[in-house]
Coordinates of all heavy atoms in Angstrom, one line a residue:
M22 N -2.2 7.0 10.3 CA -2.3 6.0 9.4 C -3.3 5.0 9.9 O -3.3 4.7 11.1 CB -1.0 5.2 9.1 CG -1.1 4.1 8.2 SD 0.2 2.9 7.9 CE 1.6 3.8 7.8
I23 N -4.2 4.5 9.0 CA -5.2 3.5 9.4 C -4.5 2.1 9.3 O -4.0 1.8 8.1 CB -6.4 3.6 8.4 CG1 -7.1 4.9 8.6 CG2 -7.3 2.5 8.8 CD1 -8.2 5.1 7.7
N24 N -4.5 1.4 10.3 CA -3.9 0.0 10.2 C -5.0 -0.9 9.9 O -6.2 -0.5 9.7 CB -3.2 -0.4 11.5 CG -4.1 -0.4 12.8 OD1 -5.3 -0.5 12.6 ND2 -3.6 -0.2 13.9
K25 N -4.7 -2.2 9.8 CA -5.7 -3.2 9.4 C -6.9 -3.3 10.3 O -8.0 -3.3 9.9 CB -5.0 -4.6 9.2 CG -6.0 -5.6 8.7 CD -5.3 -7.0 8.6 CE -6.3 -8.1 8.3 NZ -5.7 -9.4 8.3
K26 N -6.6 -3.2 11.6 CA -7.7 -3.3 12.6 C -8.6 -2.2 12.4 O -9.9 -2.4 12.5 CB -7.1 -3.3 14.0 CG -8.1 -3.4 15.1 CD -7.4 -3.5 16.5 CE -8.4 -3.5 17.6 NZ -7.8 -3.4 18.9
D27 N -8.1 -1.0 12.2 CA -8.9 0.3 12.0 C -9.7 0.1 10.7 O -10.9 0.5 10.7 CB -8.1 1.5 12.0 CG -7.4 1.8 13.3 OD1 -7.9 1.4 14.4 OD2 -6.4 2.5 13.3
L28 N -9.1 -0.4 9.7 CA -9.7 -0.5 8.4 C -10.9 -1.5 8.5 O -12.0 -1.2 8.0 CB -8.7 -1.0 7.3 CG -9.3 -1.1 5.9 CD1 -9.8 0.3 5.4 CD2 -8.2 -1.7 5.0
V29 N -10.7 -2.6 9.1 CA -11.8 -3.6 9.4 C -12.9 -3.0 10.1 O -14.1 -3.1 9.7 CB -11.2 -4.9 10.1 CG1 -12.4 -5.7 10.6 CG2 -10.3 -5.7 9.3
T30 N -12.6 -2.2 11.2 CA -13.7 -1.6 11.9 C -14.5 -0.6 11.2 O -15.7 -0.6 11.2 CB -13.1 -0.9 13.2 OG1 -12.4 -1.9 14.0 CG2 -14.1 -0.2 14.1
R31 N -13.8 0.2 10.4 CA -14.4 1.2 9.7 C -15.3 0.7 8.5 O -16.4 1.2 8.3 CB -13.4 2.3 9.1 CG -12.9 3.2 10.2 CD -11.9 4.2 9.6 NE -11.2 4.9 10.5 CZ -10.6 6.0 10.3 NH1 -10.5 6.5 9.1 NH2 -10.0 6.7 11.3
V32 N -14.8 -0.3 7.8 CA -15.5 -0.9 6.7 C -16.7 -1.6 7.2 O -17.8 -1.6 6.6 CB -14.6 -1.8 5.8 CG1 -15.4 -2.6 4.9 CG2 -13.5 -1.0 5.2
A33 N -16.5 -2.4 8.3 CA -17.6 -3.1 8.9 C -18.8 -2.2 9.3 O -20.0 -2.4 9.0 CB -17.1 -3.9 10.1
L34 N -18.5 -1.0 9.9 CA -19.5 -0.1 10.4 C -20.1 0.5 9.1 O -21.4 0.8 9.1 CB -18.8 1.0 11.3 CG -18.4 0.6 12.7 CD1 -17.7 1.7 13.4 CD2 -19.7 0.2 13.5
Q35 N -19.3 1.0 8.2 CA -19.8 1.7 7.0 C -20.8 0.8 6.2 O -21.8 1.2 5.7 CB -18.7 2.1 6.1 CG -19.1 2.9 4.9 CD -19.6 4.3 5.1 OE1 -19.3 4.9 6.1 NE2 -20.5 4.7 4.2
G36 N -20.4 -0.5 6.1 CA -21.2 -1.5 5.2 C -22.2 -2.3 6.0 O -22.9 -3.0 5.3
G37 N -22.1 -2.2 7.3 CA -23.1 -3.0 8.1 C -22.7 -4.5 8.1 O -23.5 -5.4 8.1
F38 N -21.4 -4.8 8.0 CA -20.9 -6.1 8.0 C -20.3 -6.5 9.4 O -20.0 -5.6 10.1 CB -19.8 -6.3 6.9 CG -20.3 -5.8 5.6 CD1 -19.5 -4.7 5.0 CD2 -21.3 -6.4 4.8 CE1 -19.9 -4.2 3.8 CE2 -21.6 -5.9 3.6 CZ -20.9 -4.8 3.1
T39 N -20.2 -7.8 9.6 CA -19.4 -8.2 10.8 C -18.0 -7.9 10.6 O -17.4 -7.9 9.5 CB -19.7 -9.7 11.1 OG1 -19.0 -10.4 10.1 CG2 -21.1 -10.0 11.3
K40 N -17.3 -7.8 11.8 CA -15.9 -7.5 11.7 C -15.1 -8.7 11.1 O -14.1 -8.7 10.4 CB -15.2 -7.1 13.0 CG -15.6 -5.7 13.4 CD -14.9 -5.4 14.8 CE -15.3 -4.0 15.2 NZ -14.6 -3.7 16.5
G41 N -15.6 -9.9 11.5 CA -15.0 -11.2 11.0 C -15.2 -11.3 9.5 O -14.2 -11.7 8.9
A42 N -16.3 -11.0 9.0 CA -16.5 -11.2 7.5 C -15.7 -10.1 6.8 O -15.1 -10.4 5.7 CB -18.0 -11.0 7.2
T43 N -15.6 -9.0 7.4 CA -14.8 -7.9 6.8 C -13.4 -8.2 6.8 O -12.7 -8.0 5.7 CB -15.1 -6.5 7.6 OG1 -16.5 -6.3 7.5 CG2 -14.3 -5.4 6.9
E44 N -12.9 -8.7 7.8 CA -11.4 -9.1 7.9 C -11.1 -10.2 6.8 O -10.1 -10.2 6.2 CB -11.0 -9.6 9.3 CG -9.6 -9.9 9.4 CD -9.1 -10.1 10.8 OE1 -10.0 -10.2 11.8 OE2 -7.9 -10.2 11.0
Q45 N -12.1 -11.2 6.7 CA -11.9 -12.2 5.7 C -11.8 -11.7 4.3 O -11.0 -12.1 3.5 CB -12.9 -13.3 5.8 CG -12.9 -14.2 7.0 CD -14.0 -15.2 7.1 OE1 -15.1 -15.0 6.5 NE2 -13.9 -16.3 7.9
F46 N -12.7 -10.7 4.1 CA -12.7 -10.0 2.7 C -11.4 -9.3 2.5 O -10.8 -9.4 1.4 CB -13.9 -9.1 2.7 CG -13.9 -8.2 1.4 CD1 -14.2 -8.7 0.2 CD2 -13.4 -6.9 1.5 CE1 -14.1 -8.0 -1.0 CE2 -13.3 -6.1 0.4 CZ -13.7 -6.6 -0.9
I47 N -11.0 -8.5 3.5 CA -9.7 -7.8 3.3 C -8.5 -8.7 3.0 O -7.7 -8.5 2.2 CB -9.5 -6.8 4.4 CG1 -10.5 -5.7 4.4 CG2 -8.1 -6.3 4.4 CD1 -10.6 -4.8 5.6
D48 N -8.5 -9.8 3.8 CA -7.4 -10.8 3.6 C -7.5 -11.4 2.2 O -6.5 -11.6 1.5 CB -7.5 -12.0 4.7 CG -7.1 -11.5 6.1 OD1 -6.4 -10.4 6.2 OD2 -7.5 -12.2 7.0
A49 N -8.7 -11.8 1.7 CA -8.8 -12.4 0.5 C -8.5 -11.3 -0.7 O -7.8 -11.7 -1.6 CB -10.3 -12.8 0.2
L50 N -8.9 -10.1 -0.5 CA -8.5 -9.1 -1.4 C -7.0 -8.9 -1.5 O -6.5 -8.8 -2.7 CB -9.2 -7.8 -1.0 CG -8.9 -6.5 -1.9 CD1 -9.5 -6.7 -3.3 CD2 -9.4 -5.3 -1.3
S51 N -6.3 -8.8 -0.4 CA -4.9 -8.7 -0.4 C -4.3 -9.8 -1.2 O -3.3 -9.7 -1.9 CB -4.4 -8.7 1.0 OG -4.8 -7.6 1.8
T52 N -4.8 -11.1 -1.0 CA -4.2 -12.3 -1.6 C -4.4 -12.2 -3.1 O -3.5 -12.5 -4.0 CB -4.8 -13.6 -1.1 OG1 -4.5 -13.6 0.3 CG2 -4.3 -14.8 -1.8
V53 N -5.6 -11.8 -3.5 CA -6.0 -11.7 -5.0 C -5.1 -10.6 -5.7 O -4.6 -10.9 -6.8 CB -7.5 -11.5 -5.1 CG1 -7.8 -11.1 -6.6 CG2 -8.2 -12.7 -4.7
V54 N -5.0 -9.5 -5.0 CA -4.2 -8.4 -5.6 C -2.7 -8.8 -5.7 O -2.1 -8.6 -6.8 CB -4.3 -7.1 -4.7 CG1 -3.3 -6.0 -5.2 CG2 -5.8 -6.5 -4.8
A55 N -2.1 -9.4 -4.7 CA -0.8 -9.8 -4.7 C -0.5 -10.9 -5.8 O 0.5 -10.7 -6.6 CB -0.3 -10.3 -3.4
T56 N -1.4 -11.8 -5.9 CA -1.2 -12.9 -7.0 C -1.3 -12.3 -8.3 O -0.5 -12.6 -9.2 CB -2.3 -13.9 -6.8 OG1 -2.2 -14.4 -5.5 CG2 -2.2 -15.0 -7.8
A57 N -2.3 -11.4 -8.5 CA -2.4 -10.7 -9.9 C -1.2 -9.9 -10.2 O -0.7 -10.0 -11.4 CB -3.7 -9.8 -9.9
L58 N -0.6 -9.2 -9.3 CA 0.6 -8.4 -9.6 C 1.7 -9.3 -9.9 O 2.5 -9.1 -10.8 CB 0.9 -7.5 -8.4 CG -0.1 -6.3 -8.2 CD1 0.2 -5.7 -6.8 CD2 0.0 -5.3 -9.3
V59 N 1.9 -10.4 -9.2 CA 3.0 -11.3 -9.4 C 2.9 -11.9 -10.8 O 3.8 -12.2 -11.6 CB 3.0 -12.5 -8.3 CG1 3.9 -13.6 -8.8 CG2 3.4 -11.9 -7.0
E60 N 1.6 -12.2 -11.2 CA 1.3 -12.7 -12.6 C 1.4 -11.7 -13.7 O 1.1 -12.0 -14.9 CB 0.0 -13.5 -12.6 CG 0.0 -14.7 -11.7 CD -1.3 -15.3 -11.5 OE1 -2.4 -14.8 -12.0 OE2 -1.4 -16.4 -10.9
G61 N 1.7 -10.4 -13.3 CA 1.8 -9.4 -14.3 C 0.6 -8.7 -14.7 O 0.5 -7.9 -15.7
E62 N -0.5 -8.9 -14.0 CA -1.8 -8.2 -14.3 C -1.9 -6.9 -13.5 O -1.4 -6.8 -12.4 CB -2.9 -9.0 -13.9 CG -3.1 -10.3 -14.6 CD -4.3 -11.1 -14.2 OE1 -5.4 -10.8 -14.5 OE2 -4.1 -12.1 -13.4
A63 N -2.4 -5.9 -14.1 CA -2.8 -4.6 -13.4 C -4.0 -4.8 -12.6 O -4.9 -5.6 -13.0 CB -2.9 -3.5 -14.4
V64 N -4.2 -4.1 -11.5 CA -5.3 -4.3 -10.7 C -6.0 -2.9 -10.5 O -5.3 -2.0 -9.9 CB -4.9 -4.9 -9.3 CG1 -6.2 -5.1 -8.4 CG2 -4.3 -6.3 -9.5
K65 N -7.2 -2.7 -10.9 CA -7.9 -1.5 -10.6 C -8.9 -1.7 -9.4 O -9.7 -2.6 -9.5 CB -8.7 -1.1 -11.9 CG -9.4 0.3 -11.7 CD -10.0 0.8 -12.9 CE -10.7 2.2 -12.6 NZ -11.4 2.7 -13.8
I66 N -8.7 -1.0 -8.4 CA -9.6 -1.1 -7.2 C -10.5 0.1 -7.3 O -10.3 1.1 -6.8 CB -8.8 -1.1 -5.9 CG1 -7.8 -2.3 -5.9 CG2 -9.7 -1.3 -4.7 CD1 -6.8 -2.4 -4.8
G67 N -11.8 -0.3 -7.8 CA -12.9 0.7 -7.9 C -12.4 2.1 -8.4 O -11.5 2.1 -9.4
S68 N -12.8 3.1 -7.8 CA -12.4 4.5 -8.3 C -11.4 5.0 -7.3 O -11.3 6.2 -7.0 CB -13.6 5.4 -8.4 OG -14.2 5.5 -7.0
I69 N -10.5 4.1 -6.8 CA -9.5 4.5 -5.9 C -8.1 4.5 -6.4 O -7.5 5.6 -6.5 CB -9.4 3.5 -4.6 CG1 -10.9 3.6 -3.9 CG2 -8.4 3.9 -3.6 CD1 -11.1 2.5 -2.9
V70 N -7.6 3.3 -6.9 CA -6.2 3.3 -7.3 C -6.1 2.1 -8.3 O -6.9 1.2 -8.3 CB -5.3 3.0 -6.1 CG1 -5.6 1.7 -5.5 CG2 -3.8 3.2 -6.5
T71 N -5.1 2.3 -9.3 CA -4.7 1.2 -10.2 C -3.3 0.8 -9.8 O -2.4 1.7 -9.7 CB -4.8 1.7 -11.6 OG1 -6.2 2.0 -11.9 CG2 -4.4 0.5 -12.5
L72 N -3.0 -0.4 -9.6 CA -1.8 -1.0 -9.2 C -1.2 -1.8 -10.3 O -2.0 -2.6 -11.0 CB -1.8 -1.8 -8.0 CG -2.4 -1.3 -6.7 CD1 -2.6 -2.3 -5.7 CD2 -1.6 -0.1 -6.2
E73 N 0.0 -1.7 -10.6 CA 0.7 -2.4 -11.7 C 2.1 -2.7 -11.4 O 2.9 -1.9 -10.8 CB 0.7 -1.5 -13.0 CG 1.2 -2.2 -14.3 CD 1.1 -1.2 -15.4 OE1 0.8 -0.1 -15.2 OE2 1.4 -1.8 -16.5
A74 N 2.6 -4.0 -11.7 CA 4.0 -4.4 -11.5 C 4.7 -3.9 -12.8 O 4.3 -4.3 -13.8 CB 4.1 -5.9 -11.2
V75 N 5.8 -3.2 -12.6 CA 6.6 -2.7 -13.7 C 8.0 -3.2 -13.5 O 8.6 -3.3 -12.4 CB 6.5 -1.2 -13.9 CG1 5.1 -0.8 -14.2 CG2 7.0 -0.4 -12.6
D76 N 8.7 -3.4 -14.6 CA 10.1 -3.8 -14.6 C 11.0 -2.5 -14.6 O 10.7 -1.5 -15.2 CB 10.5 -4.6 -15.9 CG 9.8 -5.9 -16.0 OD1 9.6 -6.6 -14.9 OD2 9.4 -6.3 -17.1
V77 N 12.0 -2.6 -13.7 CA 13.0 -1.5 -13.6 C 14.3 -2.1 -14.1 O 14.8 -3.1 -13.6 CB 13.1 -1.1 -12.1 CG1 14.1 0.0 -12.0 CG2 11.7 -0.6 -11.6
A78 N 14.9 -1.3 -15.1 CA 16.1 -1.8 -15.6 C 17.3 -1.6 -14.6 O 17.3 -0.8 -13.7 CB 16.4 -1.0 -16.9
E79 N 18.4 -2.3 -14.9 CA 19.6 -2.2 -14.1 C 20.1 -0.8 -14.2 O 20.0 -0.1 -15.3 CB 20.6 -3.1 -14.6 CG 22.0 -3.1 -13.8 CD 23.0 -4.1 -14.3 OE1 22.9 -5.3 -14.0 OE2 23.9 -3.6 -15.0
A80 N 20.6 -0.3 -13.2 CA 21.0 1.2 -13.2 C 22.3 1.4 -12.3 O 22.5 0.7 -11.3 CB 19.9 2.2 -12.8
I81 N 23.0 2.4 -12.6 CA 24.2 2.7 -11.8 C 23.8 4.0 -11.0 O 23.4 5.0 -11.5 CB 25.4 3.1 -12.6 CG1 25.9 1.8 -13.3 CG2 26.5 3.6 -11.7 CD1 27.0 2.0 -14.3
K82 N 23.8 3.9 -9.7 CA 23.4 4.9 -8.8 C 24.6 5.4 -7.8 O 25.5 4.6 -7.8 CB 22.2 4.5 -7.8 CG 21.0 4.0 -8.6 CD 20.3 5.1 -9.2 CE 19.0 4.6 -9.8 NZ 18.1 5.6 -10.2
K83 N 24.5 6.5 -7.3 CA 25.5 7.0 -6.4 C 25.1 6.9 -4.9 O 24.0 7.3 -4.7 CB 26.0 8.4 -6.8 CG 26.9 8.5 -7.9 CD 27.5 9.9 -8.0 CE 28.5 9.9 -9.2 NZ 29.1 11.2 -9.3
N84 N 25.9 6.3 -4.1 CA 25.6 6.4 -2.6 C 25.8 7.9 -2.2 O 26.9 8.5 -2.4 CB 26.7 5.5 -1.9 CG 26.5 5.5 -0.4 OD1 26.1 6.5 0.2 ND2 26.8 4.4 0.2
P85 N 24.8 8.5 -1.6 CA 24.9 9.9 -1.3 C 25.9 10.3 -0.3 O 26.4 11.4 -0.2 CB 23.4 10.2 -0.8 CG 22.7 9.0 -0.7 CD 23.5 7.9 -1.4
K86 N 26.2 9.3 0.6 CA 27.2 9.6 1.7 C 28.6 9.5 1.1 O 29.4 10.3 1.5 CB 27.0 8.6 2.8 CG 25.7 8.9 3.6 CD 25.6 7.9 4.8 CE 24.3 8.1 5.6 NZ 24.3 7.2 6.7
T87 N 28.9 8.5 0.4 CA 30.3 8.2 -0.1 C 30.6 8.6 -1.5 O 31.7 8.7 -1.9 CB 30.6 6.7 0.1 OG1 29.8 6.0 -0.8 CG2 30.4 6.3 1.5
Q88 N 29.5 8.9 -2.2 CA 29.5 9.2 -3.7 C 30.1 8.0 -4.5 O 30.4 8.2 -5.7 CB 30.4 10.5 -4.0 CG 29.9 11.7 -3.3 CD 28.5 12.0 -3.8 OE1 28.2 12.0 -5.0 NE2 27.6 12.3 -3.0
E89 N 30.2 6.9 -3.9 CA 30.6 5.6 -4.6 C 29.5 5.2 -5.5 O 28.3 5.2 -5.2 CB 30.9 4.6 -3.6 CG 31.3 3.2 -4.2 CD 31.5 2.2 -3.1 OE1 31.3 2.4 -2.0 OE2 31.7 1.0 -3.5
E90 N 29.8 4.8 -6.7 CA 28.9 4.2 -7.7 C 28.5 2.8 -7.3 O 29.4 2.0 -7.0 CB 29.3 4.4 -9.1 CG 29.4 5.8 -9.6 CD 29.7 5.9 -11.1 OE1 30.1 4.9 -11.7 OE2 29.6 7.0 -11.6
V91 N 27.2 2.5 -7.4 CA 26.7 1.1 -7.0 C 25.8 0.7 -8.2 O 25.0 1.5 -8.6 CB 25.9 1.2 -5.7 CG1 25.4 -0.2 -5.3 CG2 26.8 1.7 -4.5
T92 N 25.9 -0.6 -8.6 CA 25.0 -1.0 -9.5 C 23.8 -1.7 -8.9 O 23.8 -2.5 -8.0 CB 25.7 -2.1 -10.4 OG1 26.8 -1.6 -11.0 CG2 24.8 -2.7 -11.4
V93 N 22.6 -1.1 -9.3 CA 21.4 -1.7 -8.7 C 20.7 -2.6 -9.8 O 20.6 -2.3 -10.9 CB 20.3 -0.5 -8.5 CG1 19.0 -1.1 -8.0 CG2 20.9 0.5 -7.5
D94 N 20.6 -3.9 -9.4 CA 20.1 -4.9 -10.3 C 18.7 -4.6 -10.8 O 18.0 -3.9 -10.2 CB 20.1 -6.3 -9.6 CG 21.4 -6.8 -9.2 OD1 22.5 -6.4 -9.9 OD2 21.6 -7.6 -8.3
A95 N 18.4 -5.2 -12.0 CA 17.1 -5.0 -12.5 C 16.1 -5.7 -11.6 O 16.4 -6.7 -11.0 CB 17.1 -5.7 -13.9
H96 N 14.9 -5.2 -11.5 CA 14.0 -5.7 -10.5 C 12.5 -5.2 -10.9 O 12.4 -4.4 -11.9 CB 14.2 -5.3 -9.1 CG 14.2 -3.8 -8.9 ND1 15.4 -3.0 -9.2 CD2 13.4 -3.0 -8.4 CE1 15.1 -1.7 -8.9 NE2 13.8 -1.7 -8.5
R97 N 11.5 -5.7 -10.2 CA 10.2 -5.2 -10.5 C 9.7 -4.5 -9.2 O 10.2 -4.7 -8.1 CB 9.3 -6.5 -10.6 CG 9.6 -7.2 -11.9 CD 8.7 -8.4 -12.1 NE 7.5 -8.0 -12.7 CZ 6.3 -8.6 -12.6 NH1 6.2 -9.7 -12.0 NH2 5.2 -8.2 -13.2
K98 N 8.9 -3.6 -9.5 CA 8.3 -2.7 -8.4 C 6.8 -2.5 -8.7 O 6.3 -2.6 -9.8 CB 9.0 -1.4 -8.2 CG 8.8 -0.4 -9.3 CD 9.5 0.9 -8.9 CE 9.2 2.0 -10.0 NZ 9.8 3.3 -9.6
V99 N 6.1 -2.1 -7.7 CA 4.6 -1.8 -7.9 C 4.5 -0.3 -8.1 O 5.0 0.5 -7.3 CB 3.8 -2.3 -6.6 CG1 2.4 -1.9 -6.8 CG2 4.0 -3.8 -6.5
K100 N 3.7 0.0 -9.1 CA 3.4 1.4 -9.5 C 2.0 1.6 -9.2 O 1.1 0.8 -9.6 CB 3.7 1.6 -10.9 CG 3.4 3.0 -11.4 CD 3.9 3.1 -12.9 CE 2.8 3.9 -13.7 NZ 3.1 4.0 -15.1
A101 N 1.7 2.7 -8.3 CA 0.3 3.0 -8.0 C -0.1 4.2 -8.7 O 0.6 5.3 -8.6 CB 0.2 3.1 -6.5
K102 N -1.2 4.2 -9.3 CA -1.8 5.4 -9.9 C -3.1 5.8 -9.3 O -4.1 5.0 -9.4 CB -2.0 5.3 -11.4 CG -2.5 6.5 -12.1 CD -2.6 6.3 -13.6 CE -3.2 7.6 -14.2 NZ -3.5 7.5 -15.5
V103 N -3.1 6.8 -8.5 CA -4.3 7.2 -7.8 C -5.3 7.9 -8.8 O -4.9 8.6 -9.6 CB -4.0 8.2 -6.6 CG1 -5.2 8.6 -5.9 CG2 -2.9 7.6 -5.7
S104 N -6.6 7.5 -8.5 CA -7.6 8.0 -9.5 C -7.8 9.5 -9.4 O -7.5 10.1 -8.3 CB -9.0 7.3 -9.2 OG -9.5 7.8 -8.0
Q105 N -8.3 10.2 -10.4 CA -8.6 11.6 -10.4 C -9.6 11.9 -9.3 O -9.6 12.9 -8.7 CB -9.0 12.1 -11.7 CG -9.1 13.6 -11.8 CD -7.7 14.2 -11.7 OE1 -6.7 13.8 -12.3 NE2 -7.7 15.2 -10.9
T106 N -10.6 11.0 -9.1 CA -11.6 11.3 -8.1 C -11.0 11.4 -6.7 O -11.4 12.4 -5.9 CB -12.6 10.1 -8.0 OG1 -13.1 9.8 -9.3 CG2 -13.7 10.3 -7.0
I107 N -10.1 10.6 -6.4 CA -9.4 10.6 -5.1 C -8.5 11.9 -5.0 O -8.5 12.6 -4.0 CB -8.6 9.4 -4.7 CG1 -9.5 8.2 -4.7 CG2 -7.8 9.6 -3.5 CD1 -10.6 8.2 -3.6
K108 N -7.9 12.2 -6.1 CA -6.9 13.4 -6.1 C -7.8 14.6 -5.8 O -7.4 15.5 -5.1 CB -6.3 13.5 -7.5 CG -5.2 12.5 -7.6 CD -4.5 12.7 -9.0 CE -3.5 11.6 -9.3 NZ -2.9 11.7 -10.6
D109 N -8.9 14.7 -6.5 CA -9.8 15.9 -6.3 C -10.4 16.0 -4.9 O -10.4 17.1 -4.4 CB -11.0 15.8 -7.3 CG -10.5 16.0 -8.8 OD1 -9.4 16.6 -9.0 OD2 -11.3 15.7 -9.7
L110 N -10.7 14.8 -4.3 CA -11.2 14.8 -2.9 C -10.1 15.3 -1.9 O -10.4 16.0 -1.0 CB -11.7 13.5 -2.5 CG -13.0 13.0 -3.1 CD1 -13.3 11.5 -2.8 CD2 -14.2 13.9 -2.6
V111 N -8.9 14.9 -2.2 CA -7.8 15.2 -1.2 C -7.5 16.7 -1.3 O -7.1 17.4 -0.4 CB -6.6 14.4 -1.5 CG1 -5.4 14.8 -0.7 CG2 -6.9 13.0 -1.1
R112 N -7.6 17.3 -2.5 CA -7.3 18.7 -2.7 C -8.3 19.5 -2.0 O -8.2 20.5 -1.4 CB -7.3 19.1 -4.2 CG -6.1 18.5 -5.0 CD -6.1 18.9 -6.4 NE -5.1 18.1 -7.1 CZ -5.1 17.8 -8.3 NH1 -6.1 18.2 -9.2 NH2 -4.2 17.1 -8.8

């Protein structure tokens, strides 16, 4: 897995940027994406991925160990849709 430090290094080398400027950009991007998702906006990041916050309804699930039924409260989660371009490259 590429961690933040590796990502900063690779992007800086690929784009010819300083590591400091690249790290500031990645931090700003993270903040903007998180804020947009909290506000209910979908975020498309180039030809890589589209992120969207979706509502999940309350549901009754079973604990696989005990088979006891548990109610899972309604909540929001982030749904990621990977672009066809990336899917094709990975295949």
Side-chain angles (χ1 to χ4, degrees):
M22 178 192 312
I23 297 177
N24 62 25
K25 181 181 174 184
K26 182 179 176 184
D27 295 334
L28 182 63
V29 167
T30 300
R31 290 183 186 194
V32 170
L34 288 173
Q35 181 72 30
F38 310 114
T39 66
K40 286 184 182 179
T43 304
E44 185 169 8
Q45 287 178 339
F46 170 77
I47 290 172
D48 289 342
L50 178 65
S51 296
T52 301
V53 169
V54 168
T56 301
L58 291 171
V59 166
E60 293 174 353
E62 295 180 76
V64 179
K65 182 175 182 181
I66 301 176
S68 61
I69 301 170
V70 68
T71 300
L72 304 172
E73 182 179 10
V75 295
D76 294 322
V77 178
E79 182 179 282
I81 297 175
K82 303 286 183 173
K83 281 191 177 181
N84 180 326
K86 290 183 180 179
T87 65
Q88 297 302 312
E89 177 185 358
E90 289 189 348
V91 178
T92 301
V93 178
D94 294 335
H96 59 280
R97 295 180 81 200
K98 70 176 186 177
V99 177
K100 178 176 143 185
K102 182 177 180 190
V103 178
S104 72
Q105 190 63 47
T106 304
I107 296 298
K108 288 178 184 179
D109 292 342
L110 287 171
V111 171
R112 290 184 188 151

